[in-house]
Amino acid sequence: MSDTTTQSPSEMEELVYDTDGRRVAFTLDEELYPREAILGAAYLFLDRCFVFLERPADQKVQVRLKTKDGASDPDALEVLAGEFANALLDQVVRFRVAESTGQLREYAFARAFFTTPAQSSIDQLLAELDDEELEEDDLEVAVPWEQDGGGQ
Amino acid sequence: MSRITTKSLRLPKRSVRAEHLGYFRFGRIGKHVVLTNDAGEWSQLTPGEFDAFLMGNVEDGHPRFEELRERGFLRADLDLDDMARKIRRKRRYLGHGPHLAVLITTLRCNQSCAYCHASRTDMHRTDTDMSLETARLAVDHAMKTPSPYLCFEYQGGEPTVNFDVLKFCVEYSRERNKQEGKTLDHSVVTNMTYMNQERADWLVANKVLVCTSLDGPESVHNANRPWTGKKAAAYESVVGWMKYFNNKYVEQGLDPELWHVDALMTSTKRSLKAGNQIVDLYVDLGIRNIHIRPLNPFGFATKTWRAIGYSMEEWLGYYERTLDYIIELNKQGVQIMEGTAATFLKKMLTPDDPNFVDIRTPVGSGTGQICYGFDGSIFPSDEGRMVHGMGDSIFKIGDVYNTSFEEAVNHPTVRSIATASYLDTLPMCATCWNAPYCGVRPLHNYMQFGDLFAQRPLTGKCQQHMGIVGLLFKRLANDPDGAVASIFRRWTIDRPRLADET
Ligand code: SF4
């Protein structure tokens, strides 16, 4: 896996936004914030505000968050801006991890489901699991009640 | 026009050295950051530990190193074959086909519940009874499932109103099963208002599991579930019959831990104040499993919703208080568990998945369950039948006279539902920490928003599932003596009741 996903540690990040008392707007650079991360963060706010996306210039995405009731509440907007910024940074981490681990996941899922013809692998797995379950069943929870003395 | 001002936020940069890490999802829950992965493994880290983890600083010698390595969160020694094995085990239901066949024996019902979505008709409407011929074809159809286990669940209306058809299905499927060799269960979902001794004794003798509805103490139950013509008696009847069945099981020498009437409750506004009383009632009746369920917010007139509804936030507050009361009772030695929590805990604390059709990916509609209407119509699930009852046949995938089992389960509608509920591809779910445990409900989405996919933050199920699993993680994080973990582990142990072996 490549090292391109490494970022330098513990810097502060500055996020600039505009507000007119009813909405906040971030203009984000896709070089710093991958588009998937921007869209992912915006999606999380759908229940709280109206989300508008625009492309003011190449490689730039503008996200505008507008309160649903249209009321002017500068304090609430500050909170919203801060929460969006935090969500965006988390989404960037998610994007970096997904990018770096995509092949690992593909391998694991391919091994899980497609290594042998589907049905025979499932049958084999079930046999394995049944053996395992008996081995692991210290409490004998799988023993039917008729056989453990509680029966008819 | 208000003046635009420019401001800025200074935030600590989240540094990540992804090449040191395995694949993980994460979310901030209470004071912790929860990590989860595709195998259903999880760890709870402090924010400081999380930062160290992201920076690749959790190395040999770090107190969390072993745990994170073993669970596949670190790239060091990452065993992908083991991960694949765990994923396969978690999703073993994918190769099975439907294991739940819902049969609607009639639409007739003598209750008219405040929150009923099931299309119901009055008692004189015998034209909404399933015929014996339709029942035979429905059983034949359902038994074509490749699943080695099959549960026939009888629903309505009130399914015991058409008891001859119910009896026929039990007996005919057992007869057919002599060739098929499946493990069969039969379960009837009844409000008990049409029960009599003969029917009850037949159900006990034939080991048909009985599940009823009990919304709480008398005042709550009777207000929620008025019995046509007998306003005050619904509670008395259901409790009386529960006791009758439970005594009969004991008389037959059956283990009461496994053999007792199960009950489901639906919470209305009234229930929100009566959580502890409801739990006490369930305990008094010997029920070990209480499902605290919210109302589904569709199909209501606004007036009804105002009278009985509430927000998901209010419901989650009630759920939290009631769950804490249940945990407290468990600490005192009382055996009672909350059903939805138990479903999630099985996913979180065991290597398996309980294959609960409503909380899995993809959802079980058409791939884990199938529903047969009274007239032989086939639907991917009971909800599809309800939508049909409301005049929209979008989820009808055939009928038992003309549609083969293969045609039904491969129907484009079933595929669309699977696509709309495959969490790895849905916005928000794809990166959500709860995805290994969660499930979405495309048919609910359709009923509420007219769209199979809907937007996650707007759906009650998303808030509900995130709220419940988040709560479970919080209780596990705040458990210095391990008492909660041991109670939760006990809730994950299933002892199978007798299934039909013939
Ligand atoms: S439905 Fe909600 S809680 Fe469940 S996985 Fe999707 S986003 Fe997460």
Side-chain angles (χ1 to χ4, degrees):
Chain A
M1 301 293 148
S2 81
D3 263 6
T4 53
T5 50
T6 305
Q7 295 178 359
S8 52
S10 305
E11 292 163 13
M12 292 303 278
E13 195 143 341
E14 187 169 39
L15 268 176
V16 176
Y17 66 94
D18 295 328
T19 178
D20 65 357
R22 287 181 201 282
R23 71 205 93 193
V24 286
F26 292 83
T27 302
L28 302 161
D29 187 337
E30 281 188 46
E31 293 223 340
L32 292 173
Y33 306 104
R35 195 185 325 162
E36 289 82 347
I38 299 171
L39 299 181
Y43 192 90
L44 298 175
F45 286 78
L46 290 178
D47 57 334
R48 298 177 49 188
C49 44
F50 293 115
V51 177
F52 301 90
L53 298 170
E54 269 173 47
R55 183 178 279 300
D58 201 27
Q59 291 291 302
K60 304 268 189 222
V61 178
Q62 188 191 59
V63 180
R64 266 185 302 133
L65 307 176
K66 184 171 175 254
T67 52
K68 286 201 170 168
D69 57 7
S72 169
D73 183 348
D75 293 342
L77 283 173
E78 296 262 332
V79 172
L80 193 63
E83 289 180 3
F84 179 78
N86 276 321
L88 179 63
L89 299 189
D90 276 352
Q91 289 294 339
V92 173
V93 171
R94 293 186 176 109
F95 177 79
R96 300 278 178 233
V97 171
E99 194 182 45
S100 169
T101 54
Q103 282 180 27
L104 302 178
R105 286 186 87 201
E106 272 170 30
Y107 177 86
F109 273 85
R111 287 282 291 168
F113 299 113
F114 303 115
T115 44
T116 49
Q119 196 50 51
S120 69
S121 74
I122 286 161
D123 290 344
Q124 199 183 333
L125 173 70
L126 291 179
E128 271 170 36
L129 293 178
D130 290 343
D131 288 350
E132 247 170 52
E133 271 156 18
L134 290 178
E135 279 166 27
E136 286 169 9
D137 187 14
D138 298 335
L139 299 173
E140 298 200 322
V141 289
V143 177
W145 54 265
E146 314 93 305
Q147 290 166 28
D148 72 0
Q152 312 170 290
Chain B
M1 212 29 205
S2 330
R3 210 160 47 87
I4 294 177
T5 50
T6 299
K7 299 188 171 187
S8 74
L9 290 159
R10 282 177 66 75
L11 300 155
K13 194 163 188 160
R14 305 263 151 71
S15 302
V16 52
R17 299 184 74 187
E19 73 280 8
H20 288 261
L21 309 174
Y23 176 72
F24 66 95
R25 296 175 163 98
F26 71 95
R28 293 160 201 283
I29 297 167
K31 293 184 181 137
H32 289 85
V33 181
V34 172
L35 308 186
T36 62
N37 67 17
D38 293 317
E41 301 278 11
W42 55 268
S43 284
Q44 301 207 57
L45 304 181
T46 63
E49 288 170 338
F50 182 60
D51 286 344
F53 164 73
L54 289 184
M55 283 297 301
N57 290 339
V58 175
E59 291 170 321
D60 205 356
H62 187 284
R64 306 302 296 267
F65 174 76
E66 266 314 311
E67 172 193 332
L68 294 176
R69 189 189 62 83
E70 207 172 88
R71 295 178 189 180
F73 292 118
L74 296 176
R75 197 75 62 98
D77 304 328
L78 186 58
D79 183 346
L80 285 177
D81 290 335
D82 185 51
M83 180 69 74
R85 213 174 141 275
K86 287 175 177 166
I87 293 170
R88 195 161 54 156
R89 181 167 182 165
K90 276 284 178 199
R91 307 215 185 164
R92 61 194 285 196
Y93 54 79
L94 286 176
H96 277 186
H99 65 277
L100 174 65
V102 177
L103 268 74
I104 310 300
T105 62
T106 181
L107 293 186
R108 291 191 286 153
C109 184
N110 44 9
Q111 283 192 321
S112 48
C113 302
Y115 43 69
C116 182
H117 311 298
S119 36
R120 63 169 288 285
T121 54
D122 289 335
M123 291 299 283
H124 68 278
R125 289 285 306 276
T126 48
D127 58 312
T128 64
D129 285 356
M130 185 179 264
S131 70
L132 285 177
E133 178 57 9
T134 304
R136 190 177 61 77
L137 291 171
V139 168
D140 287 343
H141 199 273
M143 290 191 73
K144 297 238 166 64
T145 179
S147 172
Y149 169 79
L150 180 61
C151 178
F152 284 100
E153 184 175 289
Y154 305 97
Q155 289 200 30
E158 167 47 44
T160 58
V161 168
N162 192 4
F163 203 73
D164 286 346
V165 158
L166 190 158
K167 267 170 85 170
F168 170 80
C169 291
V170 173
E171 285 163 355
Y172 176 63
S173 61
R174 284 182 176 157
E175 192 52 39
R176 269 211 54 165
N177 202 37
K178 287 181 179 154
Q179 266 91 57
E180 303 284 346
K182 293 183 190 297
T183 302
L184 290 191
D185 263 332
H186 297 270
S187 163
V188 59
V189 181
T190 170
N191 62 26
M192 301 283 194
T193 56
Y194 207 69
M195 195 58 69
N196 62 23
Q197 198 176 333
E198 190 188 338
R199 292 183 195 117
D201 291 350
W202 188 90
L203 292 168
V204 172
N206 284 277
K207 297 205 165 63
V208 175
L209 311 176
V210 177
C211 183
T212 191
S213 300
L214 180 61
D215 285 356
E218 194 159 2
S219 59
V220 176
H221 186 85
N222 285 345
N224 286 355
R225 310 181 66 91
W227 184 353
T228 318
K230 294 192 185 181
K231 210 166 174 4
Y235 173 85
E236 210 176 285
S237 160
V238 75
V239 169
W241 280 112
M242 285 174 85
K243 289 180 179 159
Y244 182 87
F245 274 97
N246 290 344
N247 289 337
K248 279 277 164 188
Y249 293 135
V250 172
E251 271 172 33
Q252 302 244 335
L254 300 175
D255 179 351
E257 273 198 32
L258 303 176
W259 284 90
H260 51 260
V261 176
D262 269 330
L264 292 173
M265 63 156 297
T266 302
S267 321
T268 59
K269 202 179 255 177
R270 277 171 199 272
S271 325
L272 265 50
K273 294 193 193 96
N276 294 7
Q277 277 168 278
I278 296 170
V279 174
D280 288 341
L281 173 67
Y282 270 60
V283 170
D284 286 348
L285 289 168
I287 302 170
R288 305 294 173 104
N289 188 356
I290 178 167
H291 287 262
I292 305 171
R293 301 185 306 170
L295 285 170
N296 291 320
F298 38 74
F300 287 107
T302 321
K303 212 171 128 206
T304 319
W305 183 255
R306 227 182 287 133
I308 66 170
Y310 38 75
S311 69
M312 185 48 73
E313 225 173 350
E314 286 173 289
W315 184 84
L316 281 168
Y318 152 75
Y319 181 87
E320 179 169 356
R321 293 191 298 279
T322 313
L323 183 76
D324 283 342
Y325 180 62
I326 292 172
I327 293 173
E328 208 37 59
L329 289 178
N330 275 263
K331 285 183 178 167
Q332 293 162 21
V334 178
Q335 299 229 358
I336 177 98
M337 68 178 174
E338 200 286 306
T340 310
T343 297
F344 284 120
L345 289 166
K346 282 173 197 159
K347 294 164 180 265
M348 293 159 62
L349 302 178
T350 80
D352 290 309
D353 187 284
N355 196 8
F356 181 59
V357 288
D358 293 337
I359 310 180
R360 52 169 247 190
T361 176
V363 74
S365 306
T367 49
Q369 69 169 311
I370 193 157
C371 173
Y372 301 93
F374 76 92
D375 60 354
S377 298
I378 306 172
F379 305 96
S381 66
D382 194 30
E383 292 141 348
R385 183 270 297 204
M386 290 175 201
V387 175
H388 177 73
M390 294 189 269
D392 178 353
S393 298
I394 188 169
F395 295 114
K396 183 171 168 179
I397 54 175
D399 63 69
V400 294
Y401 315 102
N402 300 300
T403 313
S404 72
F405 181 83
E406 290 74 15
E407 284 166 343
V409 296
N410 285 307
H411 194 281
T413 299
V414 173
R415 291 165 189 252
S416 303
I417 294 168
T419 306
S421 58
Y422 189 66
L423 300 182
D424 281 316
T425 62
L426 295 180
M428 191 161 153
C429 300
T431 54
C432 175
W433 58 271
N434 198 20
Y437 317 117
C438 199
V440 295
R441 307 278 288 272
L443 278 79
H444 277 206
N445 295 341
Y446 180 81
M447 283 190 256
Q448 203 179 349
F449 302 101
D451 160 22
L452 284 183
F453 289 82
Q455 293 174 326
R456 236 67 56 229
L458 304 182
T459 65
K461 279 287 158 215
C462 175
Q463 290 169 44
Q464 182 195 346
H465 291 173
M466 208 178 275
I468 294 175
V469 182
L471 181 61
L472 298 174
F473 273 123
K474 280 190 207 159
R475 294 299 176 267
L476 284 166
N478 186 19
D479 181 31
D481 59 359
V484 172
S486 100
I487 290 165
F488 282 178
R489 259 198 209 95
R490 219 171 49 228
W491 293 2
T492 68
I493 297 172
D494 272 329
R495 291 183 66 196
R497 287 199 258 201
L498 177 74
D500 179 18
E501 282 146 4
T502 51

